[in-house]
Every structure is written in structure tokens, then in C-alpha cells.
Amino acid sequence: MESGMTAAEQRRILIVDDNPAIHDDFRKILAPPKSNDELDALESSLFGDSRPKPSAETYVLESAYQGQEALEMVRRSIEESNRYALAFVDMRMPPGWDGMETIEKIWQVDPDIQIVLCTAYSDYSWDEINRRFGSADRLLILKKPYDTIEVCQLASALSKKWHLARHAHLKLNQLKGMVAEQTRQLQKTNEELLLEVRRHAEAENRYRLAETGANDGLWDWDLVEGSVYFSPRWKDMLGYAEDQIGSSPDEWFNRVHPEDIAALKTACDEHFSGASEQLRGECRLLHQDGQYRWMLYRGVAIKDEQGRVVRAAGSFTDITERKMAEEQLRFEALHDTLTGLANRVKLSDRIGDAICRLKRDPNRRFAVMFLDLDRFKVINDSLGHLIGDKFLVEIARRLSGFIRAGDELVQTSRDDVARLGGDEFVLVLDNVVRDTDVLHVAQRLHDAVAEPVVIDGHTLHSAVSIGIAIAHQGYNNVTEILRDADTALYQAKAAGRSCTRIFDPDMHQKAMAQWRTESELRAAIDNQELRVFYQPVVTSTGALVSIEALVRWQHPNRGLLDPDQFLPVAEESDLIVRIGRWVALEACRQVRIWQTKFPRHKNLPVSVNTSSKQFALPGFIDEISQILARAGLAPQSLRLEITETVAMRDAHATVQTLLRLRAMGVLIDVDDFGTGYSSLSYLHRMPINALKIDRSFVGSIFEDKVSAHIVQAITLLAHSLQVDVVAEGVETIPLFSAVRTMGCDYFQGYCIARPMSAADMEIYLGDVKAADPAEIRRNSLPGESSSAA
Ligand code: C2E
Ligand code: MG
Ligand code: MG
């Protein structure tokens, strides 16, 4: 310890004595000059070697000659942290403080300093000293005269004691410091721990709260143990109580819908391998009630240092309602709301796929069937939309039932039946091998629809027209094949009820031509390309009874077109109504001019053909009277021709219309008689002036006995009904004679005159004689004046 002592730590001793000689004595004893070997030798010869070698310890001696001075030095030593270990204090130090007072003062400043009180006389008794300072162990008394050894021992022992005490004190302080520091650290750690515990508790609380409050079921999968914690809510979401579900992963995975298991496993693999940041996906889980519920699963995996997944945790959210709503929306987007069948969008997808397949594999032919109910409009109009809707639903049911029943000829699936709106349905038939197979299917569809439907007490009969397009590799898109099926349907409908037509390319050409004609015809009316030709109707003596107005189209490129080249197209649209109006007005005006121009023809009537569409118009009668007014023609000069088919279609309504026309004074002729099915009971109630026997019968009376009989029968019938008979298509003189013999009243045909332009007709009128009113026997109803004509 001593050996490690530095110079600054050399023990400092303070000598306090008023006598300077004493100071020298102390110095001699405690701090003798170095390397004075002679003196040492002398000393040892004098005192022997019993004296401890003072050189073993080194002291720094300082001197104070008065108590006050000593006190000052002690104070400074403390300030400079260079304390005295020991002070030798003289008892008597006039004129200042004596030793006792000095010691008292010094100890007040430095209580650790060791003191040796040096006294010659017994100034104070030991008891007195003890009383004054207490039984302190820091004061010893040295009696004068000094014994050198005693001084050395005192200096050595007391300074060592001071040093030890001080060292112990320092150590203690150091230890105290360490303890305090450690206590502080512990406290800090403790506080942190407490904080952490509180945070944990809060987190735990929050978690519990979240777990109970949240709608989500939680899971925590220990992959090392192979067990899963499922939260009560997780179990509840699947209809189970807390204790009904264990902790095996199978509780989860065995409930996953077979179709979703692969995706779930992939999602797990991807996340566990680090390919995805989160485990996330949707799957169906089997509920206790046997139904599947849609779940959104989310989770994260925790890995150990080796990167192995040791744990994964996450949640389940029940998204069944959202899924169902989505599904509903998706369904509605692709299906017809009324019948639940596929809609146009879905159908297009379906056909688009089939076209793609066909492109790859030419053997995978398919067919598209367009169905249109023949009498739906009648049902809807007469019984109302509610029944109409129910009827459509029933037809849809039959069609999809038909599909579901399967077919050995062609393949179909659920979405192969679509409704395109109204009464239009479409079927897709897959894997068509022979075209005839498709026709067989069509026949069975006809049968299925033909079964009467009973709705709210009404027994409804319907039929369906079917147009078929059989796909070939030439089709590039859905529109093309639908267009062709539609064209075939159009043909089927034109052919009559319950017909089926398969599309062929000619049909398309024809349809295109028709479409062109229609658009050109629309323009033709405005461009005044229509003409009216006239053909005379004469008596057996050749006198003119009336003229029939017949439309022609002066086409800019195709020349003069006959009605059969454009009227069928016009019939399909409302163009026929516009054409009819125009011809009627034109003919009435023209005849009015001729009546004035040729006085003998002043009552000449004009026959105007009336289409079924025109006749069905609610304002038809008003229209006729307006035309007559505008042309300035008497109603008796207009003969309206309606075909037998039109007259009989809605015979009851026809009777009403005809009666009103007749009341106006207009004459009515039934055209093309013999080609339709007339009801005699209605025929005799209709105010008819003449029946025109269709030229197909008239023209074949020589070759066909039946035709001859028909002409004969019609003539007899007409006459019995007090109605005139006109023979159409009288092409030759022998024919003329024959039908005249059969009793026909009037004659129209090429052997009399061909239809001619207005200019030609005018020349004709100049030559021909007018029929004598007496010759016109039955152009008025019984009771009416025959002078009307
Ligand atoms: P329809 O009313 O039966 O007209 C008579 C048709 O017979 C006319 O044909 C006429 O040219 C034709 N014809 C007359 N005599 C003979 C003959 O000896 N031999 C032959 N083979 N034919 C003869 P067109 O002018 O071609 O008219 C055909 C049909 O067109 C008419 O049949 C009529 O139903 C319709 N039609 C003509 N013009 C109009 C019109 O302005 N409006 C309406 N709605 N239909 C019209
Ligand atoms: Mg006619
Ligand atoms: Mg006719």
C-alpha cells in the first residue's frame, strides 16, 4: 500500500509549536537528510539497531508556530485535497491558543486528522482531556522531553492509521457509490419493467377487448407443436361452442370447401416461403348447419433464426353476405331478371367461347337457335303484361328443363338457354354432328312449346318459330352467327306458324338485298320514284266498270319494278302504310281528274289495294275520308280491296270497320278470294260489293277441274250473297268466254288490258265506253240505289 503511494500522497505531518528549535528536532527525527550514511552509522553505534529505520517511511513536515496558523494550514490542506495525516501540537504556545484550543478548532475543520499533544508539564490531567474531547482514538499524548523512538512510532502508527482509515473511508465511499449506482440501475430497470408490464397488460387487455368486440375470429397456429388456438369467435362463426372445437389444424383445413383447398394451400406456401407479405385469401368453410360460409383469412408467419416458420397467426372474417351480394350482382349482370335465363351478355360470352373452340377444332361444330313465340303479342295485348310475364316464365322453364333433361344428339348446358328480351329466346347446341340432329331438337322444342300453358285459369296455346345457324369456321364473331340465326328465324316466321329454317348463305344475300331495298324504298317515296299504273275492269260487253290502281317503282338503276319486287320488303316495315297512303291519294286525285275530263266516266270508280297493316290502323277510316276530301272524290268512286286473309283474320272487328266504311259510301271488294279460309257466317255479315276470284284459279280452269269447280262455286256463293264476281287474270278470249259462261260479272286481265301508266290510261279512257249503270247489277247492297256507281 505504502509502496503504491505517490509523492502527492506522501504523509503530511504538521508540527505546531511556538519554539522553532522543536521543529528542527522533528525534522531531524522524521525527515533526516538523504544519503547521510555516516550519520546513520554513528546513530546506530550510539543507539544500536533497535530504532526503526526512518527511511522506510517518508513524511512531509510542515510547520506552524501558532494555533491560528495551524488552523489556517489545515483549512488550506482540505481545500487543496492534500490533507495532513497527523499534527504534533504543543500544549503551550503563547501568545495564541494553547494546544487544547488549537486541537478543538482543527478538529472542527478536519475531524480525521490524528493529533499528538506534546506537553512538558501536567497542564491537564488525562481525565480532563478525555472529558474535553471525549474518548477519541485520534489523540495521543507525548510527554516532553521527546523520546525519538516514541516520535517515530507515533508518526508511523498514527499516519498509517490515518491512511488506513482514509483508505477504508474512500473504499467505503466507493462502495457506497457503487451500491447507490446499482440501486439506481435496479430502480431504473424496475421502473422499466413495471412500465413494460403495464404496457403488456394494456396490450393484452386491448387484445382481449378486440377479440371479444371484433367480428373476426382469431387463430394462432403453433407449427412446432402442430396446434392451433382458435378464438371463441372463430368457433362461433362456424356455429360451434367453445369446447366443441379442438386445437388441431384439421379443425380448420378439413372444413375448407374442396374447391378452395388448393388455393388456401398455395397461399400458405407462398407466404411461408416469403413470396407474399401476408397470408390472405378467401375460402368457404363448412358451418355446423351444413352450409358453407365465405371467409376472408388473413395472417402473418413468424420464423426462427433458421428461417423456419414456427408460428402463424391471423383472423377470419365472415364475408358470406358480401359474396352473396356480389354473386347476385354478377348473376343479374349476366341473366334475364324475369326468367333467370342467361342474357345477351352471357350468351355472347358463351357463343364467343364456342367460336374460339371451333377455330381450334373444326369438328366441334355448334348451332345457335333463335326462337320466337308466334302468338305472344296476342297473349300480352289481350290478357295483360302480368299473364304475359308468367307465360314467358313458363316457356323459359320448359326450355331450360328441356336442356337439363339432356339430349343424346347434342350437348347443352345450363347457360345455353338465353332470353334476349320480349319473346325471343336463344339456344346454343354444342357438338353438332349432323344438321338433321339439330332439326330433331327443333322439332322437340316445337312440341314442348305447343303443350298448352294454363295461367290464372286461362289456357294459352302458343307456337314457336325457330331459326338456326350452324357454326362453321367462317364465323369470326358472335354478331355474325346471331345475325344469321335471326335471318333464318325471319324466314321461318314468314313461312307460317311453327316453322324451322336453317340459315344458308343465300338467305344472307337475300336478307342483305332486302335490307338494301328497304333503305332505297324509304328514299324512293321522298324522291317521287313511285308510280301508279292502272288496269281496267270491264263488263262482258267490254264496258269499263272500274280501274285498279297498281303501284310501280321507277328505280333509278333497276328500271320499272313490279310490286312483288319491293312490296314484301315494305310489308315488313311500316313503309307499306306510307306507300298505301300515297297510292290512294294519287289514284283518287287522278281518277277525279279523269272523271272531269271524260264526262262519260264521271262516276268511274278506282280500286285501291289495302294492306293488312294499313287496315289495322286505328285511324284508317279517318284517313280514307281525308284522302277523299283532299282529292275531291265521292266516296262511291272508291273501291277498297282487302284480301280474304285480312278480312278473316279478325273477322268480328273487320265487320265493324267495313260497316263504317260502307256507311261513308265507300265500296268494298274482297281480293284474292279463294286463297284463304273464309267463314261463311262472317262473309254474309260483311257489307261486300264484289269478290275477286284469284287469278290462280281462273288461269287454270282448263287444266284443273277443281279450279273450275271453285270458280263456279264462288260465283254461286257470291250471287247468293247478292255480291258481284270479278274474274282476275283473264289472259285469253277462250278464258274470258268460259268464266263469263260460269256467271262471272266482271273481268280483269291481259286479254282486256295490261296495267298501264296514267298517260296510257288516259288514251284508253278516251276510247273505252263506260258501263251502263243498268249493266252494273250488284255493286250496291240490297236496298241501296244502284245509281251510286
Ligand atoms: P292484286 O290486287 O290481285 O292485283 C292484280 C294483279 O294481277 C296485278 O299485278 C296485275 O298486274 C295482275 N294481273 C292482271 N291481269 C293479269 C293477267 O291476265 N295475268 C297475270 N298473270 N296477271 C295479271 P301487280 O300489279 O303485279 O300487283 C300484284 C299485287 O300487288 C296486287 O295483287 C296487289 O295485291 C299488290 N299491289 C299492287 N299495288 C298495290 C298497292 O298500291 N297497294 C297495295 N297494298 N298492294 C298493291
Ligand atoms: Mg287488287
Ligand atoms: Mg287480286
Side-chain angles (χ1 to χ4, degrees), residues 539-596:
T539 63
S540 55
T541 61
L544 186 63
V545 179
S546 70
I547 51 175
E548 181 174 2
L550 297 163
V551 71
R552 297 288 181 270
W553 180 5
Q554 188 63 57
H555 193 279
N557 310 322
R558 292 156 69 193
L560 192 67
L561 302 182
D562 279 341
D564 57 357
Q565 288 171 280
F566 61 93
L567 282 192
V569 176
E571 288 275 1
E572 279 305 312
S573 66
D574 286 342
L575 276 177
I576 189 67
V577 175
R578 289 180 60 196
I579 292 173
R581 271 180 204 145
W582 182 83
V583 171
L585 183 60
E586 179 60 24
C588 288
R589 273 191 177 140
Q590 184 59 69
V591 168
R592 179 71 197 108
I593 291 167
W594 286 331
Q595 282 180 345
T596 322

Side-chain angles (χ1 to χ4, degrees), residues 644-707:
E644 183 184 17
T645 319
V646 169
M648 292 301 156
R649 188 167 295 163
D650 187 354
H652 181 75
T654 304
V655 171
Q656 306 310 311
T657 310
L658 294 186
L659 282 174
R660 287 178 60 198
L661 285 169
R662 196 64 199 88
M664 272 169 64
V666 173
L667 306 178
I668 314 287
D669 297 337
V670 177
D671 207 352
D672 303 341
F673 198 81
T675 55
Y677 304 90
S678 280
S679 153
L680 285 183
S681 67
Y682 275 112
L683 199 60
H684 95 266
R685 278 197 267 157
M686 288 181 183
I688 294 164
N689 297 83
L691 295 182
K692 296 183 82 170
I693 305 176
D694 194 74
R695 58 183 178 275
S696 59
F697 301 112
V698 174
S700 58
I701 52 168
F702 293 134
E703 299 87 49
D704 186 356
K705 264 207 173 113
V706 177
S707 291

Side-chain angles (χ1 to χ4, degrees), residues 90-92 117-123 141-146:
D90 186 22
M91 178 60 93
R92 291 180 182 208
L117 182 61
C118 306
T119 173
Y121 321 97
S122 47
D123 309 61
I141 295 170
L142 178 65
K143 290 274 193 202
K144 288 181 182 176
Y146 306 139

Side-chain angles (χ1 to χ4, degrees), residues 532-533 535 548-552 562-564 567 571 576 579-580 583-584 608-612 614 641 643 671-672 692 694-695 728-732 748-755:
V532 182
F533 273 43
Q535 189 179 31
E548 181 174 2
L550 297 163
V551 71
R552 297 288 181 270
D562 279 341
D564 57 357
L567 282 192
E571 288 275 1
I576 189 67
I579 292 173
V583 171
V608 172
N609 293 287
T610 311
S611 81
S612 60
Q614 225 178 331
E641 291 191 7
T643 64
D671 207 352
D672 303 341
K692 296 183 82 170
D694 194 74
R695 58 183 178 275
E728 276 184 354
V730 185
E731 292 187 0
T732 59
Q748 182 177 4
Y750 293 170
C751 86
I752 299 137
R754 289 190 173 246

